[in-house]
Each structure stands twice: as structure tokens, then as C-alpha cells.
Amino acid sequence: MHEQQAIPRRFPGIRRRITLFLGTALVGLVGAVLLVAYKQGAFVRQTSIFFYAEDVIGINKGMTVRLFGLPVGSVKHLEITTRGVQVELSIVSEYVPRLTKGTNARLTREGYIGAASLLLLPGSDPKSAREPLAEGDVIGYLPNRGVAEL
């Protein structure tokens, strides 16, 4: 007198379809995260170099660092120290051999109201022109001249 109830097959194959949908969504999410990480430079080797400045008006974290006008890195960190403000630059390691011990940084603008960036000027001293920069080296900073100095 015990009757077996049949499980209704209202949605045949629904479990497989849901699994396929969630798997596709997960793959898409992982792909989007990897794409953003790649665009942010997470898979590119970086070398940190530093400079000290009395003031860093116009320099911001994330600002572009250029060499010969091409973007080669960004400002990674700013910190107040006893020597002034320490600015950490994160340079793509591929470009570091082109930078020598006499390299200086200078704040530049693209036109009067254009975006600001740091321009790296390789050293002109023949003695230091042979030694490339290494991780953690300190370079010089050439501050902009004010209106009174011009």
C-alpha cells in the first residue's frame, strides 16, 4: 500500500545547464581579472629606483615616468624622510640598462595645461655613463625653476 511517487521531470537536464552557465561565468570572471592585471603591469618585472626632493608639488602616486618621451614606469610611493621627500619610481626592467648612474629626473608638462609626467634624463658624465642603474639606486632630481628665477 505504499505508493512510490515519481520525481517530476519538469526541467530535464537543468543541472547540467546550470553547471555549464556557472562554469562559463567563472571562466569569464577569471579572464577579466587576468586582463586587468595584465593591463596594470602585474606580469612585468619592475625595478625600483629613488630620488629625493625638497618638495614634490605636482608629483603624484601613479604618475607616468618617461624616458626619451616614452612611458617606462610610474611613481610607486612617496614618503617624507629626513632628507626631504623620497620618491620611489617603478621602472620596467627592460628599460633599466638604458639608465646610467648619472641619471636625473625632472617634472615636465605637455604644454601649459597638459598632463604632468616625470622625465628621466640619462647622465652625460662619461665615467658614470658605463654603469647602469640597479635595484634601489638613488638618482638626482632637477627641480623646476620658478617664475622669479626665469
Side-chain angles (χ1 to χ4, degrees):
M1 296 208 150
H2 188 282
E3 294 181 25
Q4 278 189 338
Q5 288 185 339
I7 299 174
R9 299 293 295 170
R10 186 171 175 188
F11 302 107
I14 190 75
R15 183 173 304 228
R16 187 180 58 175
R17 290 180 184 169
I18 290 174
T19 303
L20 181 63
F21 174 75
L22 292 177
T24 304
L26 183 63
V27 167
L29 179 66
V30 168
V33 168
L34 289 175
L35 179 65
V36 169
Y38 173 74
K39 289 291 187 180
Q40 294 291 324
F43 305 117
V44 178
R45 296 190 80 181
Q46 304 280 327
T47 301
S48 292
I49 60 174
F50 302 89
F51 70 82
Y52 292 91
E54 290 182 18
D55 66 51
V56 290
I57 295 173
I59 300 175
N60 301 313
K61 185 177 179 180
M63 175 183 278
T64 303
V65 176
R66 296 181 180 275
L67 176 65
F68 304 121
L70 299 174
V72 296
S74 63
V75 176
K76 186 174 182 182
H77 186 68
L78 302 165
E79 182 178 350
I80 298 175
T81 64
T82 56
R83 291 178 61 183
V85 180
Q86 180 189 38
V87 180
E88 181 179 355
L89 306 177
S90 181
I91 307 296
V92 176
S93 295
E94 175 184 344
Y95 300 108
V96 172
R98 300 187 193 293
L99 300 172
T100 59
K101 296 282 186 187
T103 298
N104 291 309
R106 173 179 280 162
L107 181 64
T108 61
R109 289 201 172 273
E110 296 175 15
Y112 290 110
I113 58 172
S117 63
L118 283 172
L119 181 64
L120 296 177
L121 305 167
S124 59
D125 183 24
K127 289 182 183 178
S128 64
R130 295 183 202 118
E131 299 178 48
L133 287 175
E135 177 80 23
D137 280 349
V138 177
I139 63 173
Y141 176 67
L142 303 172
N144 288 338
R145 294 183 283 175
V147 175
E149 294 174 13
L150 292 174

